[in-house]
Amino acid sequence: MTERYVLDLRDVDETHLAIVGGKGAHLGTLARIEGITVPGGFCVTTDAFRRIVAQSPSIESLLDQLSRSNPDDRETIGTLSAQIRRTIEETAVPDDLASEITRAVARLGEQVACAVRSSATAEDLPTASFAGQQDTYLNVVGPTEVLRHVSRCWASLFTERAMTYRQRNDIDHRMVDMAVVVQRMVFPHASGILFTADPVTGNRKVATVDAGFGLGEALVSGLVNPDVYKVRQGEVVERTVAAKQLAVHALPDGGTQQVAVDAQRQQEPALTDAQVVQLVQLGRRIEEHFGSPQDIEWCLVDDGFQMVQSRPITTLFPIPETDDQANHVYVSVGHQQMMTDPMKPLGLSVWKLTAMAPMTDAGGRLFVDATRALSSPASRAGLLDLVGRGDPLTRDALETVLERDDFVPSLPDPDPKAAPGGPRAGGGAPTPIETDPAVVTGLIERNLESIAALRRDIGTKTGPALFDFLVEAFEEHKRVLTDPLSIQAIMAGMEATWWLNDKLQEWLGEKNAADTLTLSAPDNVTSEMGLELLDVADVIRPHAQVVQFLQNAGGDGFLDELPKLAGGTEARDAIEAYLDRYGMRCAGEIDITRPRWRERPSTLVPAILDNVRNFEPGAARRRFEQGRQEAWKKEQDVLSRLRALPDGESKADETKRMIDRVRTFIGYREYPKYGIVSRYFVYKQALLGEADRLVQAEVLADREDIFYLTFQELHDVVRSQHVDDQLIEQRKEAFRTYHALTPPRVLTSEGEAVNGAYRRDDVPPGALIGLPVSGGIIEGRARVILDMAQADLEAGDILVTAFTDPSWSPLFVGIAGLVTEVGGLMTHGAVIAREYGLPAVVGVNQATELIRDGQRIRVHGSDGYVEILS
């Protein structure tokens, strides 16, 4: 193939990305959109860049060194960056290449002023903008200077910031090439940036325009505050005119300079409202062409707008797809399930097929459409009350949306008798459940029998018959989840908790009294999981060889090596027994594709070693009994104080009934999730068996490729013995990009991400506000841990993390307090924190960023805030 070194902008579009880079491809496409003006110019292609690099063999060895460096090693990256850039800038441009570029400049005009702009092949992409990673040079005059600045643009592929960005995003430096865009320079009256969606709220119907005088460099570099306009449906709805004291203008002989703006002009708007509306209309045309919201750089020249760049806005959270144009309000499932990480397609589809409520997904996360529930007064009040008790931020976010006039339609309350499957179906309230431990015992036994039957019956199923069986198994799964008695048991425990907290605060002034009254409640499978890992540590602790081996165990095959050591057989048997009961658990366990402890047992090793180091033998039994005694003492104290009140005997009797009720049922709150995850592991093992057969038949390249197909798509692959490899690769790339997105608690169909706020003024200045979920005050060292397998805890440490699901519970036995970014009053982390008596504050926005690992902090578990002490 013949190298092509120069292409006119009018001859390129997005199909030329590999040749002219992201910026060049976008500009060429922009120039082809009807009604859009782009300054004329040409692209120096990636063929030219590769030729220059090939002339400098030393670059290869420098890139080898770079690939081995740590992204955080700024000194090494900075040194290598300077060496590579100097090498490229000092490499002579071959005569034939220089002549071709010079001829292209002459076609623009021999002494015309140019903008010389970097255009990397990994730039302005739908999933990553790479904005600001490479260089742009304005008002470059004459072919000699253009050539010099083209070399500088090539070198800017290896700026320190660009190389660090690629290192952090796991992008091979050799896979990125650099083209250069050379355009006729325009000298605008005003310039700025247009976002066709609000970059702060995500609202797709609100465009934001930033505008200033002169060249856009003044805004981009932060020299001046811009005028800011917000436009909705062709009307300026918000306007802020800034005092623009500086502007950047071109110099006659090349280059730019900062110029003071005349005092009388500083408060003038850079654009009229009519111009703003016209600009947004042009932006909507560009957005429609590219099919996604755009970040557009524009110039106002002689009363006409010219576009000098357009890139996708990559930070916006996607909107769930619908088949109508109506308004919708979506509530995040991940914030309720303590799993805000993205899920793979198989995980999303299996959860949707087994969930009790219809769900949709976007950005790899699950959402429930709450629009119908919010539209009628009674269901709205019930939803807000339920959500508010769990997570005040979600309630506040919903109320924020409801304050918008007419966004949520107002509908009459539905007929209670017509509510299918609801708690009032049949016309009356459900029969109150008796406070009887046998109810919980029976529910657990029935669940275990159902899982055993699933495990037995699925063993003989393969091929399409397996999928037919799983469809029926999913229905049984939902039947177990919606068992009226199970739901009554869960609600009985929660309602008794709420009653105790409300009434004992009213009668005795006690905050969160139920926290102590529920210590060491029976039948809590999640807290038992943490305590039983202490028992595993008791088996391992006496065997020094085993302890030393585990400290250096690298892979997941360590269990097979243990019997070779003194005491190793007992250690292996203890871990295996633990995995038999809890091996289906893992972080992010609602996603069936995540590796389970049984599949990756090394995940447990740090927690086991922490328990060996930090506890004495018999700690599990002592801790449980201590909690039980504290709860009993609290009960006696509360009842005694109540009897001293007016009508005290009646209050004490009612409270005693509620204490018995909460201790009977609150532990069961954790069991349904255990049942779900147990079933998920059975489904997963069967599906992976099918994946192995597909690999053997050379239909799939890798067994885990099935994770990037939905359940139905996988069924089709098994039936047809054919897979779309390109679809799997697209799904893998999409999943990678979803990690950079932060899911909102509430999302609207307009794209607005709403996270809510705490409306409180009762906390000290500088404190981090959250939700109080487990009482007490504790000071200690913050350990910011995002991966349980990386845990390294000492007695007295306070765990700070993004979220905790039940898989984190083994760490709870060894910490003194808990702080999370996500969580609610009845989510798993809160329940287990109360069970273990740990002061805990959840829902602390950006806790893992605002609190540094090793800082000393104070957690106010009863009042819901965290103080940073050092």
Side-chain angles (χ1 to χ4, degrees):
M1 180 177 170
T2 306
E3 280 101 350
R4 303 168 71 187
Y5 296 133
V6 172
L7 290 173
D8 192 284
L9 260 183
R10 293 168 297 186
D11 296 332
V12 302
D13 58 24
E14 289 182 296
T15 64
H16 297 87
L17 175 68
I19 302 171
V20 299
K23 190 178 282 120
H26 265 65
L27 282 169
T29 304
L30 267 177
R32 295 169 178 229
I33 302 173
E34 187 178 351
I36 303 301
T37 303
V38 174
F42 61 89
C43 297
V44 181
T45 69
T46 53
D47 286 339
F49 170 76
R50 284 194 291 271
R51 183 171 171 186
I52 294 298
V53 171
Q55 288 180 214
S56 310
S58 63
I59 291 177
E60 277 298 312
S61 65
L62 293 171
L63 288 176
D64 284 338
Q65 294 177 53
L66 181 61
S67 65
R68 295 191 295 269
S69 66
N70 186 311
D72 296 321
D73 186 353
R74 294 188 60 182
E75 185 176 351
T76 298
I77 292 176
T79 300
L80 292 169
S81 165
Q83 288 179 272
I84 295 172
R85 283 185 289 119
R86 186 167 55 251
T87 301
I88 290 174
E89 289 186 36
E90 291 174 354
T91 299
V93 179
D95 290 345
D96 60 328
L97 174 54
S99 296
E100 198 168 339
I101 295 171
T102 299
R103 286 195 298 273
V105 173
R107 287 193 290 272
L108 294 178
E110 189 79 26
Q111 290 301 309
V112 72
C114 295
V116 183
R117 316 173 70 194
S118 304
S119 180
T121 52
E123 182 177 10
D124 296 349
L125 304 181
T127 55
S129 73
F130 290 76
Q133 299 304 315
Q134 283 88 41
D135 291 343
T136 287
Y137 301 97
L138 301 179
N139 199 31
V140 179
V141 179
T144 302
E145 282 300 294
V146 169
L147 275 172
R148 187 167 72 86
H149 285 84
V150 166
S151 288
R152 294 180 71 185
C153 283
W154 287 331
S156 76
L157 185 65
F158 300 102
T159 62
E160 184 178 340
R161 64 181 182 274
M163 295 201 300
T164 301
Y165 188 94
R166 291 194 293 271
Q167 293 275 92
R168 292 190 190 283
N169 287 276
D170 198 27
I171 296 169
D172 186 344
H173 301 284
R174 292 180 178 84
M175 299 303 291
V176 185
D177 291 323
M178 178 66 83
V180 181
V181 176
V182 180
Q183 287 176 280
R184 184 180 288 108
M185 185 74 189
V186 294
F187 302 97
H189 160 73
S191 58
I193 301 166
L194 160 64
F195 298 96
T196 62
D198 190 315
V200 177
T201 68
N203 196 315
R204 308 309 200 263
K205 292 194 175 181
V206 175
T208 300
V209 175
D210 289 1
F213 294 130
L215 294 169
E217 295 305 291
L219 301 187
V220 174
S221 60
L223 285 175
V224 297
N225 291 324
D227 296 343
V228 180
Y229 306 84
K230 292 190 183 295
V231 178
R232 184 183 177 99
Q233 296 176 334
E235 181 183 347
V236 176
V237 294
E238 195 175 314
R239 179 192 307 99
T240 303
V241 178
K244 298 171 287 296
Q245 298 175 337
L246 292 173
V248 174
H249 289 293
L251 293 168
D253 297 326
T256 62
Q257 71 172 4
Q258 298 175 23
V259 177
V261 176
D262 292 342
Q264 62 269 30
R265 292 190 63 219
Q266 290 179 6
Q267 297 286 354
E268 285 182 16
L271 297 175
T272 66
D273 282 7
Q275 288 171 325
V276 171
V277 171
Q278 179 193 357
L279 175 61
V280 170
Q281 288 172 344
L282 294 172
R284 292 289 182 215
R285 193 175 298 177
I286 295 169
E287 176 185 67
E288 184 179 358
H289 180 89
F290 286 118
S292 67
Q294 296 288 301
D295 164 357
I296 301 166
E297 293 182 24
W298 56 268
C299 295
L300 178 62
V301 184
D302 300 329
D303 294 327
F305 287 103
Q306 298 195 30
M307 306 303 171
V308 294
Q309 188 158 315
S310 182
R311 62 167 71 94
I313 307 174
T314 59
T315 55
L316 299 177
F317 199 86
I319 306 172
E321 294 181 5
T322 59
D323 54 6
D324 61 39
Q325 298 299 312
N327 291 343
H328 294 269
V329 181
Y330 303 100
V331 176
S332 166
V333 173
H335 286 82
Q336 314 302 314
Q337 289 293 335
M338 299 300 94
M339 166 55 176
T340 54
D341 289 347
M343 297 170 66
K344 296 188 179 81
L346 186 63
L348 290 167
S349 64
V350 170
W351 185 266
K352 287 195 278 188
L353 287 167
T354 54
M356 291 190 288
M359 294 182 186
T360 186
D361 65 89
R365 276 75 168 195
L366 290 161
F367 293 88
V368 170
D369 189 340
T371 317
R372 183 66 185 83
L374 291 170
S375 61
S376 61
S379 59
R380 179 190 310 137
L383 177 63
L384 290 175
D385 183 58
L386 186 63
V387 166
R389 284 185 180 274
D391 180 10
L393 289 177
T394 300
R395 174 174 183 142
D396 185 80
L398 288 172
E399 289 176 333
T400 299
V401 174
L402 289 168
E403 288 169 3
R404 315 269 162 77
D405 291 342
D406 302 327
F407 187 83
V408 177
S410 185
L411 301 172
D413 288 329
D415 180 356
K417 295 180 181 178
R424 297 178 64 83
T431 306
I433 188 172
E434 293 292 326
T435 304
D436 181 359
V439 171
V440 171
T441 303
L443 284 168
I444 292 173
E445 286 176 353
R446 287 208 299 278
N447 205 332
L448 289 172
E449 288 167 4
S450 177
I451 294 167
L454 169 67
R455 194 175 285 117
R456 181 186 66 241
D457 296 342
I458 205 171
T460 59
K461 304 295 190 295
T462 61
L466 170 65
F467 288 83
D468 294 339
F469 174 84
L470 283 172
V471 169
E472 294 180 13
F474 293 165
E475 291 307 308
E476 167 66 6
H477 182 121
K478 288 191 280 191
R479 188 200 65 73
V480 171
L481 276 183
T482 55
D483 178 349
L485 187 62
S486 177
I487 293 171
Q488 282 180 293
I490 293 168
M491 291 308 299
M494 292 170 66
E495 288 167 352
T497 300
W498 297 336
W499 188 96
L500 286 167
N501 281 337
D502 291 346
K503 290 298 183 182
L504 294 180
Q505 180 156 12
E506 177 188 341
W507 292 338
L508 298 176
E510 284 247 3
K511 274 188 180 180
N512 305 315
D515 291 358
T516 307
L517 292 167
T518 53
L519 289 172
S520 297
D523 298 312
N524 188 322
V525 70
T526 308
S527 64
E528 289 168 0
M529 179 170 67
L531 294 174
E532 287 180 33
L533 203 63
L534 286 173
D535 292 335
V536 173
D538 284 354
V539 174
I540 291 171
R541 190 180 291 107
H543 305 294
Q545 273 192 327
V546 172
V547 173
Q548 185 175 4
F549 171 77
L550 290 178
Q551 286 169 344
N552 300 297
D556 291 309
F558 72 93
L559 287 171
D560 296 331
E561 300 296 316
L562 281 173
K564 301 173 185 177
L565 307 171
T569 299
E570 296 95 312
R572 183 200 60 189
D573 291 348
I575 296 172
E576 286 284 0
Y578 186 85
L579 290 172
D580 285 343
R581 188 172 186 202
Y582 301 112
M584 77 295 288
R585 308 220 83 147
C586 68
E589 59 194 10
I590 70 169
D591 182 353
I592 195 174
T593 73
R594 298 283 281 253
R596 311 282 140 175
W597 289 344
R598 171 55 78 183
E599 297 168 312
R600 196 171 290 172
S602 59
T603 306
L604 291 172
V605 170
I608 292 171
L609 291 172
D610 284 347
N611 289 348
V612 167
R613 184 174 64 249
N614 296 332
F615 292 93
E616 296 295 324
R621 184 179 64 257
R622 286 195 303 276
R623 285 192 64 137
F624 187 83
E625 182 58 26
Q626 180 185 345
R628 200 178 65 79
Q629 288 293 329
E630 284 185 41
W632 183 82
K633 288 176 186 173
K634 185 68 173 179
E635 177 181 331
Q636 302 310 305
D637 172 63
V638 163
L639 296 178
S640 171
R641 290 160 60 199
L642 285 172
R643 291 190 182 102
L645 299 175
D647 196 23
E649 286 299 330
S650 173
K651 288 184 172 77
D653 290 346
E654 194 173 6
T655 299
K656 172 60 175 166
R657 283 195 299 274
M658 284 299 178
I659 292 172
D660 290 346
R661 196 165 178 79
V662 80
R663 291 193 66 80
T664 297
F665 292 116
I666 200 64
Y668 180 71
R669 162 72 178 77
E670 292 293 296
Y671 199 84
K673 183 74 169 287
Y674 177 79
I676 291 171
V677 177
S678 297
R679 290 174 181 278
Y680 267 24
F681 193 38
V682 178
Y683 306 153
K684 181 180 185 180
Q685 288 173 306
L687 291 172
L688 282 174
E690 208 56 44
D692 289 335
R693 283 183 278 276
L694 290 170
V695 170
Q696 193 171 6
E698 298 185 347
V699 176
L700 288 180
D702 186 273
R703 71 193 309 236
E704 293 192 359
D705 282 352
I706 67 168
F707 296 163
Y708 297 93
L709 299 170
T710 66
F711 179 80
Q712 185 57 53
E713 288 168 346
L714 178 55
H715 190 179
D716 293 341
V717 169
V718 168
R719 203 165 35 222
S720 67
Q721 294 291 291
H722 174 75
V723 70
D724 184 345
D725 292 323
Q726 191 173 2
L727 175 67
I728 288 176
E729 289 308 309
Q730 289 170 352
R731 295 267 178 84
K732 287 180 179 179
E733 173 61 20
F735 179 71
R736 188 184 72 79
T737 65
Y738 292 156
H739 283 278
L741 300 174
T742 301
R745 283 176 163 80
V746 171
L747 180 68
T748 74
S749 50
E750 292 186 348
E752 187 173 7
V754 191
N755 281 298
Y758 292 108
R759 315 287 177 176
R760 295 177 55 185
D761 56 8
D762 59 342
V763 299
L768 308 180
I769 302 175
L771 178 66
V773 295
S774 184
I777 299 174
I778 191 71
E779 286 185 23
R781 179 180 65 157
R783 293 311 316 269
V784 180
I785 298 172
L786 301 179
D787 180 353
M788 180 181 160
Q790 305 300 318
D792 180 15
L793 296 164
E794 299 287 348
D797 283 348
I798 297 170
L799 174 63
V800 180
T801 190
F803 57 82
T804 63
D805 58 13
S807 72
W808 286 73
S809 299
L811 297 187
F812 283 28
V813 297
I815 59 175
L818 174 70
V819 179
T820 69
E821 295 179 341
V822 177
L825 193 61
M826 298 307 294
T827 49
H828 302 279
V831 171
I832 304 307
R834 290 193 292 273
E835 174 78 10
Y836 289 162
L838 302 173
V841 179
V842 302
V844 179
N845 193 35
Q846 295 182 295
T848 60
E849 297 171 34
L850 298 173
I851 300 171
R852 295 195 307 275
D853 187 56
Q855 279 186 314
R856 192 161 186 82
I857 63 173
R858 182 184 296 130
V859 177
H860 294 258
S862 299
D863 294 317
Y865 64 90
V866 180
E867 292 179 283
I868 299 175
L869 305 178
S870 66

